[in-house]
Amino acid sequence: MVKMSSTREGCGEGLVLLGEKNKKVVVLDADTSCSTKTDMFAKKFPHRFFNVGVAEQNLMGIAAGLSLTDKIAFASGYSIFVSGKAWDQIRNVICYCNLNVKIGATHAGITVGADGATHQALEDIALMRVIPNMKVVVPCDALEARKAVFKIAEEVKGPVYFRLGRAAIPMITHESTPFIFGKALTLNEGKDVTIIACGIMVGEALKAVEELKKEGISVKVLNFHTIKPPDKEAIIQAAKQTGALVTAEEHQLIGGLGGMVSEIIAKEMPVPLEMVGIKDSFGESGTAKELMEKFGLTAKAIAIAVRKVMKRKKKIIPL
Amino acid sequence: MTNKELEKKANQIRRDIVLMLLESGSGHPGGSLSSTEIMVALYFSVLKHNPENPDWVMRDRFILSKGHSCPVHYACLARAGYFSEEELFTLRKLGSRLQGHPGKDRKLPGIEVSSGSLGQGLSIAVGNALGIKLDNQGQRVYCLMGDGELNEGQVWEAAMAAAHYRLNNLCAIVDNNGLQIDGCLKDVMNIEPLREKWNSFGWHTVEIDGHNMQEVLNAFKTAEKEKNKPTAIIAHTIKGKGISFMENVVGWHGKAPNKEQADQALKELSF
């Protein structure tokens, strides 16, 4: 049976490993440590953990101040509140000063579930990737989240936004799978079309591959864990190699992964592109599975997008 | 420096502010002039710092939360020897290290952090103070805020946290000149009773005449002696202090003097 876990748990484990290795790591939370899983770090390193209460703006300011005393400050909270309520603090202090603050933003996307629309961050990739100096990482499973947090916090200087989920999802990568910041990971080779996915949608993309294989469509899959800085080469290469792209994300179609890919291919290598994601709407209460069905974040929706893009690809008359 | 020398320095800094703003053609004189004694006391008496080694690890930290008052900060830094006095006249010009609001990206020596978006400095100062305590070091952290700035909710989040963590190495100074952009604080958004607010948030609070050098110095000394709490110095000041036509006039919050006005101001500031 496939192991199930959430990316927030992977992050919590990564922070404990990091805390053991590097004494400069401090972790902050805004009264959500049991949910964000920073409680694991808090139990092990209580003197290096600061719970600032329900105050995301102050959370970011204190993290900034700690980083200015040569600490690696990891500030954690719900993605909707850290990316929204504290956007000015992140933009004007953390990013403008290029401070060594890492943001662990959990409960991203619609799969937060029953808590409903006020708690479902569907705009955070857009909000974060538009800020200069900010880097954005969306792990596809708990293992990748653990590796990403462990490696990036030490290796990548300046602000990084980790987008993490609440739901337990199947493990896709293995202990031996390399995680390289800024490099997309090819999970499946194919020649007809490339699915570029991040987060929970990577698993859905792999399911879609199986369905499409039956129809004789050969699909390449890229796990695009680093949204910013984007692996441009991987996108251009995929566009050249397969001639059509589909993006899949648990985020608004505006400004997210699909937006980023379209910005790049429009300039570098225009090919037909279809995007799977939230279509300019808010979410609602329900189970993660029900919501993914309702909002079209499924392998089935990806397969439909693939068929559509294949038709468009065929219509292009070679010069 | 003696009190007399510090007062003389304050006068020189006020002249710098007038000349800088005349050259730049825009900027914020009112809040720079109201906080001049506080800034002079800090940079020429209170702070343990080294202008020749601005990143000295053991330095006390100064966070200018009211970023628009950067002319007084820039002038103090230049006069303390962080960079040349001539550079003051690049204020707000293209390519300058002296941005309209402080930008850390410009690497101007002595600027700890960018500021300009109000309400954020105290949180950063709390982070500084926590980091210093974590390393068991003795540096102190100072944060200058405007009184209008206290309208921002984040200030009170930070105030709560500073008392919670018993940050006795932290000192906040409120430049209480009573005016904000749209008018008097009591008309736009009343922040009184101020002393009671800081006290009830768990701070040690001191109230002073922010233009009396001896009172300013004494307040900083009292703050250093506090063992359990952060200290808030409420400095009663006059916006535009030292220049008759600017004093207590809202319109001089963010406006540069013209040549004639600057000449008049310099005449009034002659020592």
Side-chain angles (χ1 to χ4, degrees):
Chain A
M1 202 175 136
V2 185
K3 201 189 160 215
M4 304 282 282
S5 185
S6 64
T7 50
R8 60 179 165 139
E9 277 172 85
C11 170
E13 288 164 13
L15 283 178
V16 171
L17 295 173
L18 191 63
E20 277 163 3
K21 185 164 172 241
N22 193 329
K23 297 276 172 283
K24 286 185 178 177
V25 174
V26 295
V27 175
L28 302 91
D29 209 300
D31 197 32
T32 49
S33 65
C34 302
S35 305
T36 63
K37 300 297 170 192
T38 58
D39 57 350
M40 292 152 80
F41 184 97
K43 270 178 207 129
K44 196 129 195 200
F45 311 103
H47 62 291
R48 283 193 273 150
F49 177 77
F50 303 99
N51 194 337
V52 305
V54 195
E56 289 79 10
Q57 300 179 344
N58 197 34
L59 171 81
M60 291 304 162
I62 294 180
L66 279 160
S67 80
L68 286 165
T69 59
D70 198 28
K71 306 287 180 292
I72 300 170
F74 195 98
S76 204
Y78 282 6
S79 52
I80 188 73
F81 307 124
V82 294
S83 72
K85 211 176 273 191
W87 191 86
D88 181 34
Q89 287 70 15
I90 294 172
R91 194 257 187 199
N92 273 325
V93 175
I94 294 171
C95 290
Y96 186 30
C97 299
N98 203 16
L99 300 180
N100 213 2
V101 174
K102 315 300 176 196
I103 300 168
T106 70
H107 295 61
I110 200 131
T111 49
V112 166
D115 278 345
T118 60
H119 282 55
Q120 295 160 345
L122 302 175
E123 304 80 14
D124 56 325
I125 296 177
L127 286 171
M128 291 297 114
R129 83 180 180 92
V130 75
I131 310 176
N133 288 336
M134 182 56 99
K135 278 78 71 183
V136 179
V137 173
V138 188
C140 73
D141 65 16
L143 254 181
E144 191 169 77
R146 192 186 81 193
K147 283 181 219 164
V149 166
F150 184 68
K151 284 189 76 173
I152 289 173
E154 273 193 324
E155 288 173 12
V156 180
K157 289 271 172 281
V160 180
Y161 181 83
F162 293 95
R163 187 182 206 239
L164 306 160
R166 173 183 182 270
I169 53 173
M171 211 66 91
I172 289 164
T173 62
H174 306 278
E175 283 289 351
S176 59
T177 310
F179 175 84
I180 305 168
F181 173 75
K183 284 274 167 230
L185 180 69
T186 305
L187 291 179
N188 198 60
E189 280 295 355
K191 58 181 175 38
D192 296 329
V193 62
T194 304
I195 303 172
I196 299 176
C198 66
I200 197 168
M201 295 308 286
V202 173
E204 296 301 312
L206 291 172
K207 280 190 234 162
V209 168
E210 295 308 311
E211 199 178 323
L212 293 160
K213 201 191 270 177
K214 292 173 203 157
E215 299 167 28
I217 302 173
S218 163
V219 182
K220 180 183 170 97
V221 176
L222 287 180
N223 167 16
F224 222 85
H225 50 66
T226 310
I227 310 271
K228 190 187 176 189
D231 186 350
K232 278 191 187 179
E233 210 178 302
I235 295 170
I236 296 164
Q237 183 64 31
K240 276 185 188 162
Q241 195 188 330
T242 63
L245 305 176
V246 169
T247 59
E249 64 197 300
E250 191 191 1
H251 183 274
Q252 300 289 357
L253 290 175
I254 301 167
L257 171 72
M260 178 271 286
V261 170
S262 59
E263 285 158 19
I264 290 168
I265 62 165
K267 199 165 157 240
E268 308 277 351
M269 184 72 204
V271 294
L273 167 75
E274 288 292 329
M275 306 198 297
V276 172
I278 305 287
K279 301 171 190 72
D280 199 18
S281 75
F282 290 106
E284 63 180 79
S285 292
T287 66
K289 193 164 179 297
E290 284 166 348
L291 292 166
M292 285 179 78
E293 290 282 344
K294 173 154 185 179
F295 287 87
L297 303 177
T298 56
K300 199 175 144 199
I302 296 173
I304 291 167
V306 166
R307 290 181 202 111
K308 205 167 161 192
V309 88
M310 290 289 292
K311 269 187 206 152
R312 288 174 57 198
K313 183 181 162 186
K314 277 171 195 154
K315 274 188 200 154
I316 297 172
I317 305 154
L319 292 171
Chain B
M1 271 191 195
T2 63
N3 284 10
K4 198 86 204 146
E5 284 166 330
L6 288 171
E7 279 158 18
K8 203 169 166 186
K9 186 63 78 179
N11 193 264
Q12 182 185 43
I13 297 288
R14 284 200 166 92
R15 293 176 66 89
D16 287 339
I17 293 166
V18 171
L19 290 167
M20 285 163 79
L21 293 187
L22 174 67
E23 178 66 26
S24 66
S26 69
H28 297 80
S32 293
L33 295 164
S34 62
S35 55
T36 302
E37 277 79 12
I38 298 160
M39 292 295 287
V40 166
L42 280 168
Y43 274 90
F44 298 93
S45 177
V46 177
L47 287 179
K48 291 182 187 76
H49 65 135
N50 182 358
E52 277 159 29
N53 182 10
D55 298 326
W56 177 41
V57 180
M58 294 309 290
R59 73 190 181 283
D60 288 339
R61 310 297 176 102
F62 173 74
I63 307 290
L64 180 72
S65 190
K66 45 181 261 168
H68 57 277
S69 295
C70 56
V72 67
H73 193 194
Y74 294 150
C76 285
L77 288 172
R79 292 288 174 188
Y82 280 87
F83 51 86
S84 79
E85 284 140 27
E86 291 82 71
E87 195 172 351
L88 289 176
F89 299 103
T90 68
L91 173 69
R92 290 179 164 248
K93 291 188 175 166
L94 188 65
S96 173
R97 298 197 291 179
L98 282 66
Q99 291 289 291
H101 292 83
K104 190 178 167 68
D105 63 325
R106 297 290 155 151
K107 300 188 174 17
L108 184 70
I111 298 295
E112 301 281 356
V113 70
S114 305
S115 58
S117 174
L118 292 174
Q120 302 202 25
L122 193 59
S123 299
I124 298 164
V126 167
N128 275 178
L130 275 176
I132 287 165
K133 286 216 174 221
L134 201 57
D135 294 337
N136 290 316
Q137 292 174 344
Q139 306 94 309
R140 294 186 56 77
V141 183
Y142 297 89
C143 175
L144 178 66
M145 292 181 286
D147 50 5
E149 182 179 11
L150 302 187
N151 292 168
E152 293 275 6
Q154 189 187 346
V155 171
W156 302 102
E157 295 181 1
M160 225 185 287
H164 179 81
Y165 294 121
R166 296 174 183 275
L167 298 177
N168 66 323
N169 57 344
L170 173 64
C171 177
I173 309 105
V174 179
D175 178 12
N176 194 187
N177 59 38
L179 298 179
Q180 54 191 122
I181 299 179
D182 274 353
C184 297
L185 265 84
K186 62 178 167 45
D187 299 324
V188 178
M189 183 47 65
N190 185 30
I191 57 166
E192 295 295 339
L194 200 49
R195 182 170 199 156
E196 287 83 344
K197 276 197 178 73
W198 288 99
N199 279 339
S200 70
F201 271 76
W203 286 58
H204 165 224
T205 310
V206 186
E207 237 170 320
I208 57 163
D209 171 355
H211 299 305
N212 180 319
M213 195 57 82
Q214 192 56 54
E215 285 193 30
V216 174
L217 293 171
N218 287 347
F220 284 123
K221 279 200 190 90
T222 317
E224 265 187 67
K225 284 181 196 144
E226 174 58 47
K227 292 281 177 281
N228 292 307
K229 295 173 176 180
T231 296
I233 299 173
I234 300 167
H236 296 286
T237 58
I238 293 165
K239 201 155 179 171
K241 172 75 178 175
I243 300 167
S244 59
F245 58 91
M246 289 191 186
E247 285 191 5
N248 279 321
V249 178
V250 159
W252 286 102
H253 170 83
K255 189 174 76 172
N258 60 28
K259 182 76 177 72
E260 203 185 349
Q261 289 162 332
D263 284 343
Q264 171 67 27
L266 292 174
K267 205 183 287 172
E268 291 183 21
L269 291 169
S270 59
F271 211 67

